Amino acid sequence: MQDLAHKLRPNWPLVALLGSGALLAGAHAFQRFGGLAPCPLCLDQRDWHWGVVGASVIGVALLRFWPKGERWVAGALGLALLGAACMALYHVGVEQHWVAAQCEADTGLGDIQAFDPHGTFVTPSCDTPAWTMLGISMAGYNALISLALAVASFTVALAPGRRHG
């Protein structure tokens, strides 16, 4: 396992970028093709993954000039992924009614549509999962995957290097 972590270390920012990118792609696919509108907490979870994507790009650039910073970059990405996991766990807590939350709707430029005086605008509720599989909501899967990526990132950061001898 340590040998795998050592081999992954120089490419870890790309792995983190692909992981968060895949989660974002899945969320947008559920929205665009599945018709599942995101609630405000879903959008907050996406912000964390966009942060991981940005930090990963910075990490790739940084490692080109400072290759010895691999552990620091992996550790920083681990913290960002842990933040994403915590945000998703908070959403799971709201969905399960373990935590009371007041969700406010955020509107971005992409959410603005033509005015329809006869239409209704409904913001999805944060405490009702829009989709579940095997009893786990999208926020739950996001939490599990983000936590796994965070643990992997910390493992890559902290695993000892290869011993020569």
Side-chain angles (χ1 to χ4, degrees), residues 23-39 42-43 46 50 106 108-113 121 124 130-131 138:
L23 287 169
L24 285 166
H28 286 285
F30 272 101
Q31 180 180 347
R32 296 285 179 215
F33 305 118
L36 300 177
C39 74
C42 293
L43 295 174
R46 290 181 190 184
W50 281 115
D106 295 341
L109 290 177
D111 297 329
I112 297 174
Q113 299 175 355
F121 179 75
W131 177 89
M138 282 191 284

Side-chain angles (χ1 to χ4, degrees), residues 100-123:
Q102 181 177 2
C103 297
E104 297 178 7
D106 295 341
T107 302
L109 290 177
D111 297 329
I112 297 174
Q113 299 175 355
F115 177 69
D116 180 5
H118 303 292
T120 59
F121 179 75
V122 178
T123 300

